[in-house]
Amino acid sequence: MVGVSPKIAPSMLSSDFANLAAEAKRMIDLGANWLHMDIMDGHFVPNLTIGAPVIESLRKHTNAYLDCHLMVTNPMDYVEQMGKAGASGFTFHIEVAQDNWQELVRKIKSAGMRPGVALKPGTPVEQVFPLVEGATPVEMVLVMTVEPGFGGQKFMPTMMDKVQALRQKYPTLDIEVDGGLGPSTIDAAAAAGANCIVAGSSVFGAPEPGNVISLLRASVEKASLTT
């Protein structure tokens, strides 16, 4: 994995939302690279979480990279507001963007954000290849290792085949994994080629979250030396 650096992104969905600014600062101080923000619309997934107003509020308190994962049915409707709110990355789902992803990626970039594409466990990895290879490509692929919409689910090891396929095909691509990542599953994800690691309950639920962040990073760094 030469050319891709580890990015550890604690999932703020598992944080104390009443103290979001303090939680964000704590994660960055403990060594996190990104803050992962789950935006759910209650339609594409059953849950309803946060939107642009929360991103805008948090942006006033942190310069951190806000890695926004939009689990929404109409991602195009969110681009302008998320850009204005201060989102750093805008990752949409391929399942709802088959027809307009080129325009969507262009809009995300012109709004000053970094485009990424996500795929659910049941979606074949081949569906995102055109987006990585397009004239205006996405800059990250997020492989969901659980069904999107809820925190605290069990990691699906079979999803690592998708990660491996992406890493073999695109050696310098940022490949993110999200769902059930922690000390017991990180080695499988890192060995497959994931370099951006989203971890929620395993970080926020740990007695020493900083130790978990360090462990996740060390696993990705170690795997990068052997691939």
Side-chain angles (χ1 to χ4, degrees), residues 4 114 132 138-141 166-167 170-175 193 195:
V4 290
R114 191 166 180 253
V132 181
V138 294
E139 296 175 31
M140 183 175 79
V141 174
L166 286 163
R167 180 56 68 211
Y170 311 111
T172 60
L173 179 68
D174 272 337
I175 301 172
N195 68 299

Side-chain angles (χ1 to χ4, degrees), residues 44-115:
F44 179 71
V45 289
N47 242 348
L48 187 65
T49 54
I50 61 168
V54 175
I55 300 297
E56 187 177 5
S57 296
L58 182 57
R59 177 49 81 208
K60 292 170 186 167
H61 299 276
T62 183
N63 294 320
Y65 186 98
L66 299 181
D67 175 37
C68 297
H69 175 198
L70 284 97
M71 288 164 267
V72 300
T73 302
N74 298 303
M76 196 76 83
D77 296 346
Y78 290 74
V79 176
E80 190 179 345
Q81 54 181 293
M82 293 299 288
K84 284 181 178 167
S88 310
F90 185 111
T91 299
F92 59 89
H93 267 266
I94 185 60
E95 296 87 2
V96 293
Q98 292 280 17
D99 301 328
N100 66 348
W101 61 264
Q102 286 159 311
E103 186 193 352
L104 185 54
V105 171
R106 277 197 298 272
K107 279 200 164 176
I108 292 166
K109 285 194 169 186
S110 66
M113 297 176 289
R114 191 166 180 253

Side-chain angles (χ1 to χ4, degrees), residues 8 11 28 44 47 52 77 79 84 97 101 104 119 136 144 153 171 182 185 191 197 227:
I8 310 305
S11 175
I28 296 298
F44 179 71
N47 242 348
D77 296 346
V79 176
K84 284 181 178 167
W101 61 264
L104 185 54
L119 63 160
T136 308
M144 291 301 296
Q153 292 182 72
T185 52
I197 311 298
T227 52

Side-chain angles (χ1 to χ4, degrees), residues 6 11-12 14 27 52 63 70 77 79 83 114 136 159 169 176-177 182 186 193 204 216 220 223:
S11 175
M12 301 307 288
S14 296
M27 289 299 114
N63 294 320
L70 284 97
D77 296 346
V79 176
R114 191 166 180 253
T136 308
M159 293 302 109
K169 202 166 168 59
E176 187 167 62
V177 283
I186 182 59
F204 284 96
L216 298 175
V220 174

Side-chain angles (χ1 to χ4, degrees), residues 113-223:
M113 297 176 289
R114 191 166 180 253
V117 65
L119 63 160
K120 297 204 283 190
T123 303
V125 71
E126 291 79 12
Q127 288 195 17
V128 302
F129 292 172
L131 284 72
V132 181
E133 297 167 12
T136 308
V138 294
E139 296 175 31
M140 183 175 79
V141 174
L142 166 53
V143 175
M144 291 301 296
T145 51
V146 297
E147 287 297 334
F150 299 94
Q153 292 182 72
K154 210 167 173 354
F155 176 80
M156 296 180 181
T158 50
M159 293 302 109
M160 294 307 97
D161 293 346
K162 292 182 182 179
V163 175
Q164 209 161 10
L166 286 163
R167 180 56 68 211
Q168 285 171 354
K169 202 166 168 59
Y170 311 111
T172 60
L173 179 68
D174 272 337
I175 301 172
E176 187 167 62
V177 283
D178 181 3
L181 271 304
S184 63
T185 52
I186 182 59
D187 287 349
N195 68 299
C196 304
I197 311 298
V198 178
S201 45
S202 67
V203 169
F204 284 96
E208 299 287 346
N211 291 350
V212 178
I213 291 170
S214 299
L215 185 152
L216 298 175
R217 174 174 289 102
S219 180
V220 174
E221 286 173 345
K222 184 181 170 191

